[in-house]
Amino acid sequence: MDLRPSVVLFRKAILKAKVDGFQFDSLDSFPVNCCEFSSYLLAKFLIEKIGLSSLKIVTGENRHKKSQRHIWIKFDDTDIDITANQFSSTDRTVIVEAHSQWHQRFEIIKVENPSPKLTQLNKEAKFALLYDYKKILSCLAYNDDSVRTIQK
């Protein structure tokens, strides 16, 4: 299953939706300082629209710069990241690869199961992100049927 096309389209939809601003203010600086919340939204998309299960949200701490943390998605052995280019160590806007070399710089300190209902968030953050998620979906360049076609 090649997830890359769907992940790239989701990232492009975030950038398109960003033009008018988000209700959840942190997303306005995408991809900078919003790896956690954009990972939650991407996980929601991958679960609900692509039909994936067994996703994990991973938090890592840079092995060489302990003050630097990053959050991304893992699907089995595949690292999925749409915010890596916020760091000077890569210019890649989307990473979808097994055992990503770039992610090896991070020591994993937390792994959690994403909730597509965003139940891990407080009421205000959840409401704002769900609103922004709908906005992002409206910016996708295809419909649900073509998302499934990409995956086949």
Side-chain angles (χ1 to χ4, degrees):
M1 176 183 304
D2 184 9
L3 295 173
R4 185 173 179 74
S6 295
V7 173
V8 167
L9 287 174
F10 189 81
R11 187 181 195 281
K12 286 180 180 179
I14 290 175
L15 292 171
K16 187 174 180 182
K18 175 182 166 178
V19 171
D20 296 325
F22 287 109
Q23 192 164 4
F24 191 82
D25 293 339
S26 294
L27 290 178
D28 287 332
S29 62
F30 181 86
V32 178
N33 293 326
C34 60
C35 52
E36 178 179 12
F37 301 106
S38 56
S39 291
Y40 289 150
L41 294 179
L42 177 58
K44 178 176 177 59
F45 172 74
L46 293 172
I47 292 166
E48 292 180 349
K49 301 298 183 187
I50 307 300
L52 295 183
S53 59
S54 70
L55 292 178
K56 303 289 182 194
I57 300 284
V58 178
T59 302
E61 182 177 77
N62 191 314
R63 296 175 195 279
H64 309 290
K65 190 176 181 182
K66 297 290 185 190
S67 63
Q68 187 180 77
R69 290 192 175 181
H70 186 50
I71 297 173
W72 68 97
I73 297 172
K74 260 198 154 344
F75 175 62
D76 296 329
D77 293 331
T78 301
D79 295 297
I80 303 170
D81 196 333
I82 58 173
T83 62
N85 68 319
Q86 70 181 294
F87 299 103
S88 61
S89 55
T90 187
D91 60 354
R92 295 174 63 190
T93 57
V94 173
I95 297 173
V96 180
E97 64 184 54
H99 307 289
S100 161
Q101 187 68 30
W102 187 81
H103 288 92
Q104 297 302 313
R105 74 185 62 243
F106 295 97
E107 178 180 347
I108 295 175
I109 58 174
K110 181 180 174 187
V111 177
E112 64 179 299
N113 295 317
S115 166
K117 294 183 180 183
L118 306 178
T119 54
Q120 68 276 30
L121 303 174
N122 68 44
K123 185 178 179 180
E124 293 79 22
K126 178 181 172 179
F127 178 81
L129 279 173
L130 289 173
Y131 178 88
D132 292 337
Y133 178 73
K134 288 177 185 173
K135 183 178 181 178
I136 292 164
L137 289 184
S138 74
C139 291
L140 285 172
Y142 54 82
N143 61 35
D144 287 348
D145 290 335
S146 59
V147 170
R148 288 187 189 93
T149 301
I150 288 171
Q151 298 308 309
K152 292 181 181 177

